């Protein structure tokens, strides 16, 4: 989610695809592949960093060399606002939207922006992983507390939200200006995570926000910005950060440590929708099916480190490994109308006011 990046993968225009579709796909799938090749292009709006998505894009390109992929990397709120504005103006927009702001994605479905599509991969997904065959979950990502391993003492590493509050209160001068989290007014995924926290502990969430406010918390719109500040030591602790990015960065950066909170660990998913007004709908369906396929999910988990949601994909970044590691502390964010509670304008504004007041108190 690093600002406004645009990645174009230009490939030679070849007819057909470079692979055979999985055996369980219907024989008619070759018609969809041929139609996508004829369309020749796919526009994706995504909150997944382009560098993270690169292995997926490269492999998709090798499978469908006739399709030129135009990949726009933006933050979640920017994706939503741009997509609905372009649709209202009937101007060119995304064929597929792929975002971790689950509530905004479900809202796009409910507001009529998404096309229905029965993916041939549906039977291989958890039952909760699609909404009305219009929004499809693609990942199973834990939400973490991230910290600087070089600069934090073992007793300063929070294992729960109560620990985080206690640590910040115990040594306010040490942590002044040294904690970071999402700015929920500008980050859709940050807003979603905090409203989910509120579901589990209505009082506790405001106690935590007050503790963050007293510490002079630094608010950011992107996971990448928070991770870089933690790595450098500018910040020491980050709250509600996508654990997939922490998992990947920790493998390369010895300064990065992370905790999946033991009181409960939210698990989020990047939802993909095909636009009802897509100019290249068949290419969009190909990308969706690829993301959900065993091949795509294996690359997603073991090269992109985004955590697969398929039970038949192995590795450290997989549903089975995460369930085994965390057990009953896992709290997946459920796809459905319940996500929309705080997108009601009055409730959203009330939640924002409580957040702002708690930060100041």
């Amino acid at each position: 989610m690093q600002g406004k990046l645009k990645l174009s993968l230009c490939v030679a225009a070849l007819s057909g695809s470079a692979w055979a579709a999985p055996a369980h796909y219907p024989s008619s799938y070759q018609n969809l592949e041929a139609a996508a090749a004829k369309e020749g292009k796919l526009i994706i709006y995504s909150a997944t960093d382009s560098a993270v998505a690169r292995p997926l894009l490269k492999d998709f390109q090798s499978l469908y060399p006739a399709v030129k992929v135009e990949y726009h990397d933006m933050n979640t709120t920017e994706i939503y606002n741009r997509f609905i504005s372009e649709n209202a103006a009937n101007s060119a927009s995304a064929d597929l939207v792929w975002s971790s702001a689950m509530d905004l994605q479900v809202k796009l479905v409910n507001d009529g922006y998404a096309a229905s599509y029965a993916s041939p991969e549906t039977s291989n997904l958890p039952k909760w992983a699609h909404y009305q065959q219009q929004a499809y979950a693609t990942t199973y990502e834990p939400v973490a507390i991230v910290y600087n391993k070089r600069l934090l003492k073992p007793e300063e590493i929070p294992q729960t939200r109560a620990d985080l509050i206690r640590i910040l209160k115990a040594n306010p001068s040490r942590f002044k200006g040294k904690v970071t989290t999402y700015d929920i007014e500008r980050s859709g995924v940050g807003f979603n995570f905090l409203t989910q926290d509120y579901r589990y502990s209505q009082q506790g969430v405001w106690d935590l926000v007050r503790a963050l406010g007293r510490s002079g918390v630094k608010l950011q719109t992107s996971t990448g910005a928070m991770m870089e500040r933690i790595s450098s030591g500018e910040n020491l602790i980050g709250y509600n950060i996508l654990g997939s990015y922490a998992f990947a960065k920790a493998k390369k950066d010895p300064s990065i440590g992370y905790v999946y909170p033991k009181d409960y660990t939210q698990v989020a998913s990047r939802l993909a929708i095909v636009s009802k007004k897509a100019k290249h709908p068949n290419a969009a369906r190909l990308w969706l099916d690829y993301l959900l396929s065993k091949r795509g999910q294996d690359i997603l988990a073991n090269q992109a480190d985004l955590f697969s949601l398929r039970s038949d994909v192995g590795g450290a970044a997989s549903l089975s490994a995460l369930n085994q590691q965390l057990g009953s502390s896992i709290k997946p964010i459920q796809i459905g109308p319940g996500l929309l509670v705080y997108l009601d304008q009055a409730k959203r504004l009330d939640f924002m006011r409580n957040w702002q007041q708690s930060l100041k108190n």
Side-chain angles (χ1 to χ4, degrees), residues 12-328:
L14 304 175
S15 61
S17 69
W19 78 316
H24 64 277
Y25 282 27
S27 58
S28 60
Y29 199 77
Q30 61 185 345
N31 297 329
L32 187 149
E33 292 176 313
K38 187 175 181 180
E39 290 168 356
K41 187 175 182 179
L42 169 61
I43 301 173
I44 300 172
Y45 288 179
S46 175
T48 303
D49 287 352
S50 55
V52 174
R54 193 176 300 276
L56 293 160
L57 292 163
K58 183 178 179 181
D59 189 54
F60 181 80
Q61 169 185 308
S62 75
L63 301 181
Y64 297 107
V67 179
K68 174 187 173 183
V69 181
E70 190 176 291
Y71 189 86
H72 296 254
D73 172 0
M74 298 173 273
N75 75 46
T76 50
T77 300
E78 184 182 6
I79 288 171
Y80 176 80
N81 290 336
R82 178 173 171 177
F83 181 70
I84 61 172
S85 295
E86 290 169 345
N87 271 259
N90 287 317
S91 58
S93 190
D95 301 305
L96 183 138
V97 181
W98 189 30
S99 173
S100 50
M102 298 173 68
D103 50 354
L104 294 178
Q105 292 291 84
V106 171
K107 181 170 171 56
L108 288 177
V109 171
N110 283 9
D111 290 349
Y113 289 94
S116 295
Y117 175 57
S119 170
E121 294 291 352
T122 302
S123 62
N124 295 312
L125 306 177
K127 291 182 179 179
W128 52 264
H130 67 86
Y131 178 58
Q132 298 180 0
Q133 293 189 332
Q134 292 179 311
Y136 283 86
T138 63
T139 61
Y140 194 72
E141 299 174 66
V143 182
I145 298 172
V146 181
Y147 62 93
N148 185 298
K149 289 171 68 175
R150 292 183 295 106
L151 301 177
L152 237 57
K153 303 171 186 176
E155 62 270 21
E156 293 175 327
I157 300 170
Q159 301 297 318
T160 65
R161 290 162 181 82
D163 278 351
L164 179 54
I165 294 171
R166 174 181 55 77
I167 289 164
L168 296 181
K169 286 182 176 179
N171 201 341
S173 60
R174 170 157 167 70
F175 291 100
K176 191 70 174 178
K178 294 293 186 179
V179 185
T180 186
T181 192
Y182 289 107
D183 181 343
I184 70 168
E185 291 186 273
R186 298 189 296 152
S187 168
V189 69
F191 180 86
N192 187 29
F193 289 167
L194 200 67
T195 56
Q196 292 298 309
D197 279 337
Y198 186 73
R199 287 185 59 212
Y200 297 114
S201 179
Q202 294 187 9
Q203 182 56 45
V205 72
W206 301 130
D207 290 342
L208 176 56
V209 173
R210 278 189 287 271
L212 293 171
R214 290 167 186 155
S215 76
V217 65
K218 301 301 182 182
L219 303 176
Q220 305 293 340
T221 59
S222 79
T223 305
M226 291 190 281
M227 297 286 286
E228 289 304 319
R229 284 165 171 78
I230 295 168
S231 176
S232 70
E234 182 178 345
N235 296 138
L236 298 178
I237 300 175
Y239 178 68
N240 262 5
I241 294 180
L242 278 165
S244 51
Y245 285 6
F247 172 83
K249 191 167 180 64
K251 292 195 295 185
K252 302 175 183 177
D253 186 342
S255 296
I256 294 294
Y258 58 92
V259 168
Y260 300 141
K262 291 182 172 57
D263 45 348
Y264 65 88
T265 297
Q266 292 190 48
V267 178
S269 183
R270 293 166 201 266
L271 301 188
I273 67 167
V274 176
S275 172
K276 185 178 284 187
K277 292 185 177 181
K279 302 295 185 185
H280 315 100
N282 295 292
R285 293 176 186 126
L286 283 190
W287 172 256
L288 175 62
D289 291 337
Y290 168 75
L291 279 181
L292 300 176
S293 70
K294 190 174 188 300
R295 175 174 175 146
Q297 288 278 303
D298 184 69
I299 291 173
L300 182 146
N302 295 303
Q303 294 185 39
D305 293 322
L306 287 176
F307 286 79
S308 168
L309 52 64
R310 285 181 63 130
S311 60
D312 57 355
V313 171
S318 65
L319 178 148
S320 56
L322 196 63
N323 285 345
Q324 185 174 1
Q325 179 182 353
L326 299 180
S328 61

